Amino acid sequence: MSAPELSPVPREARPYQGETAGIVTRSVANTIDALVVGVMVGGCYLGVVSVKFLLDPRTFEWPQGRFLLGLTFTLLVAVGYLWLSWWILGRSYGKHIMGIRVAGRRGRKLGPVRALARAAFCVFFPIGFFWCAISPRRHSI
């Protein structure tokens, strides 16, 4: 077998390698990532509730929801998830599923500081993502 036949990229998809992802691909990837963050936050909540139950099962009551605390925790988990996955792997799980990656201006993986800044920007300013729908080069802000 020759080298191109061993590629993990399907033959039909090879002409699109190196192209910038569009709004639909990014939206699906971001939705998958939001679901991953939701599962992580839900798992943390169930873990805290389980520990509370195990410590005192007789007087156990479900914790009252604190919106601001929950929102802050969710945003921090989202930033941490995106930061670590973009820095270490170059892509999050949603982007892996959709076959795209996060890259710097020169096409390389992001360093830790740039990945953290980008993750925070994406979580706290998500409207910048939609810039790729009108950008001629399909780049987000």
Side-chain angles (χ1 to χ4, degrees):
M1 283 187 161
S2 64
E5 294 178 29
L6 296 175
S7 174
V9 179
R11 184 170 291 142
E12 297 80 16
R14 290 180 194 159
Y16 300 105
Q17 292 297 295
E19 294 291 322
T20 306
I23 187 82
V24 174
T25 305
R26 291 176 190 225
S27 296
V28 172
N30 290 343
T31 301
I32 293 169
D33 288 335
L35 290 172
V36 168
V37 168
V39 167
M40 291 169 66
V41 169
C44 289
Y45 176 74
L46 289 177
V48 168
V49 168
S50 298
V51 168
K52 187 175 178 182
F53 175 76
L54 290 173
L55 291 175
D56 193 9
R58 290 185 181 191
T59 61
F60 174 77
E61 292 182 14
W62 284 93
Q64 296 294 321
R66 293 188 175 95
F67 178 75
L68 191 57
L69 179 65
L71 179 64
T72 302
F73 181 72
T74 302
L75 293 175
L76 289 176
V77 168
V79 169
Y81 163 71
L82 292 175
W83 171 50
L84 290 174
S85 61
W86 291 351
W87 170 37
I88 296 170
L89 303 172
R91 59 177 56 176
S92 59
Y93 183 67
K95 291 184 179 20
H96 171 72
I97 295 294
M98 295 307 295
I100 57 178
R101 64 187 176 95
V102 178
R105 292 180 189 237
R106 296 185 182 160
R108 296 186 187 137
K109 277 183 16 179
L110 301 177
V113 175
R114 182 165 281 168
L116 177 60
R118 229 166 147 173
F121 189 79
C122 287
V123 169
F124 293 107
F125 188 66
I127 196 76
F129 152 74
F130 291 106
W131 182 256
C132 69
I134 58 174
S135 169
R137 294 182 353 191
R138 294 191 297 198
H139 288 206
S140 60
I141 292 181

